[in-house]
Amino acid sequence: MKKLLLLTTILLSFAYSHECKYTLEINLDTEKGLLQGRSIIESDHPSMKLLDTKANITGVKNAKLTVNENTPYLIKEDVNSPLEMTFSHNFQAINSDAILLESWYPKIDVLCKYETIISNSKITTVVEATKVTDDGTSKHFIFENPIESLHLVASKNYVVNFKTTKDAMELSTYLYPNDANLSNTYIQRSEKYFNLYKNIFGFIPFTKFSVVETPFPAGYSMPTYTLIGKQIINKDFVLDNSLGHEIAHQWFGGYVYSPDQGNWVEGMTTFYSDYLYAKQNSKAAEYRKDILIKYNSFVNQNNETALIEFTHKNKESKNAIGYGKATFFFYMLEKKIGEDAFNRGVKKLLQMYTYKTASYKNLREIFEEASGEKLLDFFITWVYNKGALDVKIDNINLMFLKDKYILEFDTVGSIQLGNLPISVCSDDECLYTTIDISKKSQRLELDIEPTKIVVDESYDIFRKLDEREVPPVISKIIQDNTLVVVDKDDEKKFSKIMFAYKNFKYADEITFDEIKNNNILIFGAKNSFLKKFALNFKMEGEGKIEVFKNPLNSLNVIAVFDVEQISNTFLYKLKHLGKYSTVVIKDGVIVEKTTKESLNGITYKINSGSFAQKPKRQKLGDTFKEIVDNKVVFIGEMHTEFSSHLNQLKIIKAMYKNNPKLSIGMEMFQKPFQKYLDAFISGTISEKEMLKNTEYFQRWKYDYELYRPIMLFAKEKNIPVIALNIDRAITKVVVSEGLDALSDIQRVQVPSSIDFSNEKYKEQLKSIYSMHQSKSFKSFEEFYHAQLLWDESMAMNISEYMKKNPDYNMAVLAGNGHVMYGYGIPSRMERRGIVDYAITLNMTNSEAGIADYILSSSPVGTQKAKKLGVYLESNEKLNVINIVENSSAAKAGIKVGDTIVSLNGVLLKDKYSLQAELAFLDGSGNVVLLRDSKEINVKIEFSN
């Protein structure tokens, strides 16, 4: 048995070196869906593997059919005599058409010359053929060179038209009557494409080529003809791209073959068709970026494979690899060895492997010979290994030495690529260069002051995209693992297309974790889901789809789709619109298709540059008339600078003078404690009681003395103070566990709508996070979600108060970061209908559009909060663990190890109650300590 297996293996390895002629005699009945045939195989090969077939073999002559390890073989009895088989095949006719593409006859693992004899002359038939003859009773389709397999199309409905070109090539069309008017256009375009490729490759492989219409959506190329589905045959993209792609296959796939595994043909064909056409239209870089976007959309660590593993396209991920990455590979190869060497290599490939199979190894050898370069490492990186380059720049440092800017940074790449293209830009110009990323540290000497580094902005390297480079596009949601969200009332309307997706949820049941971890497709322009994220979807035409970045995970998307009349072909159409963000349909025609903006290249900002302004200096009082006329005035603050708060008080007084119906909204207080602010303003509780009951010292870390003049003025004038901020307990849950972890009671307090769409605000917050907040939050995402929750909550609380009290104006006191550029609270308040407002900021740095007014003032002091000068074990335990030198505590004799019990007779339970008592201590006070289990009284004194 081992000897037999070895012999079989040796014989099969030489299968392609033997001559073979395969004759097929066929009788076809398209009404019954029945094909009956006889195979006659003339070959000196003693054995052949019988490949998978759906044909029913009814007889075999001059051979025995054996099975070895579940594989059928034909072992010839007489090597010098033909092998014969009779067979039948039942097929499903489509409108009385026969479309036989796979496994319809007994196929063998040998390249053969074919002669197909069709005896039914009533049916118009198309088969691979370089020569066609008619003997009166049957038609003979002869393919005079070795070919892998045959495909057969037959119909009684075809209208046939043909033309002989000046190169003596016969171009023909087989179209259905309704589309016969397209014949001349297809013939003219075909001739144009063949002329294009003749100029590139130097020859045309066949003297015949046909465009054949099919009853189902198709785009296939076989030697000497192509199939195009009736659903798309009148579309511009077919004539402009797809037809040329299928004609390029006449050279790659029809003239030179690739192995089943390691199929390079699709990449080379796309390189010489779709990519070439984009290049001719000055859109080559855009096309390469689109390849990377599709790779980003469909390929992940679970389905990623190497080019050497690609066989054929059966999923979008396979398409992104076998077509997209392979096209990019040939682009990079051309760039590496030069266009002339690449062209010589392609022509050599077509000469050496005419009607033969060429592997990636063969391609490498040919291009090495054409270029004189060793390409093994290049092929290992991009063909035999999977993945894309993942590159990042870190530790950017800028210096100025000896009249030069010195830019230093580190690079980290997942592939030892070598040269990486970058541009270094100032405000006025960009310098283009390459860096060797096999080295970590980079150093550039520059004559310009750089403001940014941009990596690979022309998309010369097959790499992973930065999230800012990826627009939200339709291709992200045509995968079957997309999560569909529908309102229960709309379920019936969208039932025709919902079946295509594995997962769907009702809008009122979906969780935030599900939103974060999935690409989402929302059915219905009025879907209740849209309110959660303030997605700005506006219905247009009779049908529209628009894709947004997923606000909880920028690597995913949320798409919104609605249409008046649901079509079964909706999903098929989407596959051809994958690179767009928005598509609008009117009167059955696409009237708009656009892709949302995204960055080109991975962009890193450099902290550099000098700025000048020519300010118009005014006294604050001179601006009051303009400021106070607004319904809401945002007065941004630097929390720790009293001059900020003094400016706030001045504007509040001016607003009160203009309209005594004034309210003051304050970030510093949280909504659950509103009743205590009301009680303080009305005089029913004291200032100290208000601070204790609002938990001011627990929830706001800044000195109360900074805000006290404002609070006292509000009390004096009976001005309502409105707690704007959300309960900190809610924020803590959202930050640590997510919105889904909120209780029903907490959920009611959270804004029903959160807007994540402002990318500029997100970038601004990243800077704030890196400078000030990285220690307070586990990640930027935590900080970002908390910030938006604060902004939305405060905007909601302002809007609710103003709508309930339409006669009132409001001064809003909040940190500068919440109001600058209008990104934080103001735009979210405006979304809720309050549009009459002004923004003032207390800051020194001013930029265009940052505010309506920039306030600056000389430093002014005020009374500071009284501090004992002790370090406590914790906020809850008043055990002294350290004492500040020369502090009031040190002077009073308080020692490490003491426990503070009371101040002026008031028992203290924690640090916050101590702060409240100290805030209203007048000069001195009596402190009771517990020392060595004994109570001790000491006197604490503060200077005025």
Side-chain angles (χ1 to χ4, degrees):
M1 178 62 76
K2 286 184 180 180
K3 287 183 179 179
L4 176 61
L5 287 173
L6 179 60
L7 177 62
T8 302
T9 302
I10 293 172
L11 290 172
L12 288 172
S13 69
F14 287 98
Y16 295 98
S17 65
H18 290 260
E19 285 290 326
C20 172
K21 181 183 179 185
Y22 197 132
T23 302
L24 274 169
E25 298 176 354
I26 292 171
N27 185 283
L28 194 62
D29 188 334
T30 58
E31 299 297 332
K32 294 182 179 179
L34 176 64
L35 179 149
Q36 292 179 314
R38 183 163 75 109
S39 298
I40 304 167
I41 304 173
E42 300 172 64
S43 173
D44 58 355
H45 203 294
S47 67
M48 289 159 272
K49 184 192 292 186
L50 185 63
L51 302 179
D52 287 343
T53 180
K54 296 177 183 176
N56 177 31
I57 299 173
T58 56
V60 180
K61 289 184 180 180
N62 191 32
K64 289 183 179 178
L65 184 60
T66 63
V67 178
N68 185 7
E69 294 185 352
N70 296 321
T71 301
Y73 291 91
L74 293 165
I75 311 297
K76 293 179 69 173
E77 295 173 345
D78 181 355
V79 176
N80 297 317
S81 298
L83 182 159
E84 295 186 25
M85 288 177 284
T86 55
F87 67 95
S88 63
H89 175 61
N90 293 97
F91 60 89
Q92 182 68 47
I94 306 174
N95 298 327
S96 298
D97 289 358
I99 313 292
L100 305 178
L101 304 181
E102 298 289 341
S103 309
W104 59 273
Y105 71 97
K107 181 182 172 184
I108 58 176
D109 68 330
V110 180
L111 291 176
C112 298
K113 300 175 182 178
Y114 277 86
E115 180 174 359
T116 308
I117 304 170
I118 308 292
S119 60
N120 189 345
S121 60
K122 296 179 181 179
I123 302 174
T124 302
T125 305
V126 182
V127 185
E128 286 90 337
T130 54
K131 183 169 69 174
V132 180
T133 63
D134 192 337
D135 61 13
T137 60
S138 58
K139 210 164 188 177
H140 296 245
F141 297 84
I142 302 165
F143 198 88
E144 300 166 295
N145 299 290
I147 191 174
E148 293 178 316
S149 61
L150 285 185
H151 309 82
L152 184 149
V153 180
S155 175
K156 296 178 181 179
N157 303 311
Y158 284 140
V159 176
V160 183
N161 188 26
F162 68 92
K163 172 190 174 181
T164 302
T165 71
K166 63 182 181 180
D167 293 319
M169 185 179 187
E170 184 181 288
L171 298 176
S172 55
T173 58
Y174 293 74
L175 305 178
Y176 297 130
N178 288 342
D179 296 316
N181 62 307
L182 298 172
S183 175
N184 289 336
T185 301
Y186 267 92
I187 288 174
Q188 289 168 9
R189 287 294 186 95
S190 296
E191 184 175 9
K192 178 183 174 183
Y193 284 121
F194 275 108
N195 288 337
L196 169 68
Y197 292 125
K198 181 183 178 183
N199 290 333
I200 294 174
F201 305 127
F203 71 100
I204 294 174
F206 307 111
T207 59
K208 295 179 179 292
F209 181 76
S210 302
V211 175
V212 183
E213 190 171 4
T214 63
F216 57 86
Y220 298 111
S221 184
M222 294 79 174
T224 70
Y225 71 99
T226 184
L227 303 180
I228 300 176
K230 69 177 184 180
Q231 295 83 357
I232 59 173
I233 200 160
N234 64 344
K235 304 300 182 186
D236 289 340
F237 74 84
V238 177
L239 287 164
D240 295 339
N241 283 83
S242 304
L243 178 63
H245 179 103
E246 305 308 338
I247 287 174
H249 262 308
Q250 298 302 293
W251 282 263
F252 306 108
Y255 191 70
V256 174
Y257 311 136
S258 73
D260 288 339
Q261 188 164 338
N263 175 4
W264 54 268
V265 158
E266 298 300 346
M268 183 72 86
T269 300
T270 307
F271 178 79
Y272 275 114
S273 56
D274 307 68
Y275 176 67
L276 175 62
Y277 313 148
K279 187 177 178 182
Q280 291 172 334
N281 290 316
S282 302
K283 293 184 177 181
E286 183 180 324
Y287 188 92
R288 295 193 297 273
K289 181 178 182 180
D290 189 49
I291 288 175
L292 298 179
I293 290 171
K294 287 178 181 176
Y295 198 86
N296 173 276
S297 295
F298 299 120
V299 180
N300 55 56
Q301 61 182 4
N302 297 320
N303 61 22
E304 193 167 43
T305 59
L307 286 180
I308 196 65
E309 300 173 85
F310 176 68
T311 55
H312 63 284
K313 175 180 71 173
N314 58 357
K315 293 180 179 178
E316 291 298 334
S317 59
K318 299 289 187 184
N319 184 28
I321 295 169
Y323 287 67
K325 183 180 180 179
T327 301
F328 216 118
F329 164 74
F330 287 115
Y331 164 74
M332 291 191 295
L333 178 60
E334 180 190 54
K335 196 170 181 67
K336 180 176 178 62
I337 67 176
E339 189 174 343
D340 289 342
F342 186 83
N343 291 338
R344 288 196 302 272
V346 170
K347 289 179 179 178
K348 186 75 171 177
L349 169 67
L350 293 168
Q351 292 168 4
M352 288 183 62
Y353 287 91
T354 303
Y355 303 113
K356 295 177 184 177
T357 299
S359 66
Y360 269 114
K361 180 177 180 291
N362 302 137
L363 266 63
R364 176 176 62 81
E365 293 167 347
I366 288 170
F367 285 114
E368 283 182 337
E369 181 182 343
S371 65
E373 294 187 34
K374 295 295 183 184
L375 298 172
L376 180 59
D377 289 344
F378 183 81
F379 271 69
I380 287 173
T381 297
W382 298 113
V383 174
Y384 296 93
N385 292 339
K386 61 185 180 180
L389 171 68
D390 189 3
V391 64
K392 289 180 172 58
I393 286 179
D394 202 1
N395 300 325
I396 298 173
N397 183 47
L398 182 66
M399 299 180 291
F400 188 81
L401 298 172
K402 297 180 180 179
D403 206 32
K404 295 277 187 182
Y405 285 97
I406 309 299
L407 180 62
E408 297 177 330
F409 54 91
D410 293 338
T411 56
V412 180
S414 61
I415 296 172
Q416 293 301 307
L417 175 69
N419 289 336
L420 177 73
I422 67 166
S423 57
V424 181
C425 301
S426 69
D427 289 334
D428 303 314
E429 61 180 311
C430 290
L431 304 178
Y432 299 91
T433 186
T434 59
I435 56 174
D436 182 358
I437 62 169
S438 62
K439 300 175 182 178
K440 179 182 178 182
S441 299
Q442 311 291 336
R443 189 175 192 270
L444 300 175
E445 292 188 8
L446 304 167
D447 292 320
I448 62 172
E449 182 178 12
T451 57
K452 65 179 179 180
I453 303 170
V454 184
V455 176
D456 190 30
E457 64 183 308
S458 295
Y459 301 97
D460 290 322
I461 306 297
F462 189 79
R463 62 174 175 84
K464 293 184 177 180
L465 297 174
D466 181 83
E467 66 177 58
R468 294 168 296 171
E469 295 179 275
V470 184
V473 289
I474 290 170
S475 60
K476 294 284 283 187
I477 55 93
I478 61 179
Q479 304 172 81
D480 59 4
N481 61 351
T482 294
L483 180 59
V484 169
V485 179
V486 65
D487 276 329
K488 291 175 182 176
D489 292 342
D490 285 336
E491 185 176 5
K492 184 177 180 181
K493 174 182 176 180
F494 294 102
S495 60
K496 285 185 180 180
I497 52 177
M498 283 175 58
F499 74 90
Y501 293 93
K502 295 177 183 177
N503 310 309
F504 93 93
K505 275 288 186 86
Y506 293 119
D508 59 353
E509 296 176 357
I510 191 168
T511 67
F512 283 90
D513 272 350
E514 288 171 327
I515 297 167
K516 180 179 179 180
N517 297 323
N518 289 280
N519 291 308
I520 307 293
L521 175 55
I522 300 169
F523 286 143
K526 297 181 180 180
N527 192 302
S528 57
F529 176 96
L530 297 178
K531 297 177 183 177
K532 286 187 178 181
F533 295 108
L535 294 179
N536 189 25
F537 180 81
K538 295 179 180 178
M539 189 61 190
E540 301 172 78
E542 65 193 32
K544 180 180 178 181
I545 184 167
E546 184 174 359
V547 189
F548 303 84
K549 286 207 170 187
N550 188 318
L552 299 184
N553 180 353
S554 58
L555 298 178
N556 291 333
V557 301
I558 295 178
V560 186
F561 169 72
D562 205 351
V563 68
E564 292 176 5
Q565 188 68 37
I566 300 296
S567 167
N568 290 327
T569 61
F570 162 70
L571 295 176
Y572 177 77
K573 290 178 180 178
L574 281 188
K575 291 183 179 181
H576 293 280
L577 299 166
K579 69 179 182 180
Y580 299 108
S581 305
T582 304
V583 174
V584 178
I585 301 169
K586 189 173 182 181
D587 298 327
V589 177
I590 294 174
V591 295
E592 178 189 337
K593 48 184 181 181
T594 57
T595 302
K596 294 182 178 178
E597 289 186 3
S598 60
L599 293 182
N600 287 333
I602 309 172
T603 302
Y604 297 90
K605 290 184 178 179
I606 300 171
N607 189 17
S608 65
S610 302
F611 305 92
Q613 283 185 312
K614 189 176 180 181
K616 180 183 176 182
R617 191 176 180 88
Q618 292 178 274
K619 290 184 178 180
L620 178 58
D622 293 340
T623 67
F624 286 161
K625 188 176 187 312
E626 298 172 10
I627 292 175
V628 300
D629 282 341
N630 292 277
K631 195 73 176 170
V632 176
V633 178
F634 292 95
I635 317 173
E637 66 180 52
M638 300 286 286
H639 293 312
T640 58
E641 292 185 6
F642 181 66
S643 57
S644 289
H645 304 292
L646 192 57
N647 283 338
Q648 289 173 331
L649 179 60
K650 291 176 181 178
I651 293 174
I652 288 169
K653 287 182 176 181
M655 291 181 72
Y656 178 78
K657 184 177 180 181
N658 182 63
N659 178 15
K661 290 186 175 180
L662 177 68
S663 59
I664 303 172
M666 297 186 68
E667 175 192 5
M668 305 78 204
F669 296 102
Q670 295 168 18
K671 192 173 182 180
F673 307 106
Q674 181 63 52
K675 62 182 180 181
Y676 302 114
L677 292 173
D678 295 341
F680 168 65
I681 296 299
S682 66
T684 56
I685 64 173
S686 69
E687 188 178 11
K688 183 195 295 187
E689 289 174 309
M690 178 271 293
L691 291 175
K692 286 184 176 181
N693 289 330
T694 59
E695 299 181 7
Y696 176 89
F697 295 105
Q698 289 101 312
R699 294 171 182 264
W700 192 253
K701 61 183 177 181
Y702 298 106
D703 189 346
Y704 174 68
E705 295 294 340
L706 298 168
Y707 300 96
R708 193 177 189 198
I710 295 171
M711 295 299 293
L712 294 179
F713 179 74
K715 178 177 174 59
E716 177 191 344
K717 302 298 184 182
N718 200 32
I719 299 172
V721 174
I722 309 304
L724 295 183
N725 222 328
I726 193 168
D727 186 351
R728 189 176 66 176
I730 294 175
T731 308
K732 288 177 70 174
V733 172
V734 171
V735 166
S736 60
E737 302 176 58
L739 286 159
D740 294 323
L742 294 174
S743 68
D744 291 341
I745 295 174
Q746 290 173 321
R747 199 179 298 275
V748 173
Q749 301 174 58
V750 173
S752 60
S753 173
I754 300 177
D755 182 5
F756 289 79
S757 65
N758 192 330
E759 289 296 320
K760 291 182 179 179
Y761 189 38
K762 189 173 184 179
E763 290 302 310
Q764 176 187 310
L765 292 177
K766 281 182 179 178
S767 298
I768 294 173
Y769 171 76
S770 61
M771 288 189 292
H772 305 297
Q773 297 290 347
S774 56
K775 293 181 180 179
S776 302
F777 296 86
K778 293 179 183 177
S779 67
F780 169 71
E781 290 301 317
E782 280 192 358
F783 168 66
Y784 179 51
H785 291 166
Q787 185 82 7
L788 293 191
L789 188 58
W790 292 328
D791 289 335
E792 293 286 357
S793 298
M794 288 190 275
M796 177 183 71
N797 292 331
I798 294 168
S799 302
E800 287 180 352
Y801 181 85
M802 298 301 288
K803 288 175 183 178
K804 289 178 182 177
N805 302 275
D807 295 337
Y808 273 73
N809 293 347
M810 180 181 284
V812 176
L813 314 186
N816 284 331
H818 285 291
V819 299
M820 62 175 60
Y821 299 102
Y823 292 162
I825 306 170
S827 65
R828 296 158 205 279
M829 179 192 75
E830 186 174 345
R831 196 179 78 242
R832 290 172 168 86
I834 309 297
V835 299
D836 180 12
Y837 63 90
I839 298 173
T840 66
L841 296 178
N842 282 278
M843 63 191 311
T844 55
N845 178 31
S846 61
E847 298 174 26
I850 197 170
D852 297 302
Y853 301 91
I854 301 296
L855 310 182
S856 60
S857 58
S858 301
V860 178
T862 189
Q863 178 176 308
K864 293 184 177 181
K866 301 178 182 68
K867 295 183 179 180
L868 281 179
V870 297
Y871 289 92
L872 301 173
E873 181 178 341
S874 69
N875 291 335
E876 289 73 34
K877 294 183 179 181
L878 298 179
N879 302 325
V880 178
I881 60 173
N882 203 354
I883 297 175
V884 177
E885 189 176 348
N886 293 322
S887 65
S888 297
K891 293 174 182 177
I894 297 175
K895 297 182 179 181
V896 172
D898 289 348
T899 299
I900 301 171
V901 178
S902 65
L903 175 59
N904 283 347
V906 179
L907 288 175
L908 305 174
K909 60 179 181 178
D910 51 32
K911 182 184 79 171
Y912 310 115
S913 59
L914 173 59
Q915 287 176 305
E917 293 303 321
L918 287 171
F920 296 93
L921 187 64
D922 187 14
S924 63
N926 295 314
V927 177
V928 176
L929 305 171
L930 190 64
R931 181 183 296 168
D932 298 327
S933 302
K934 295 181 180 178
E935 285 192 356
I936 296 175
N937 289 286
V938 299
K939 186 176 183 180
I940 195 86
E941 292 187 356
F942 294 94
S943 57
N944 292 326

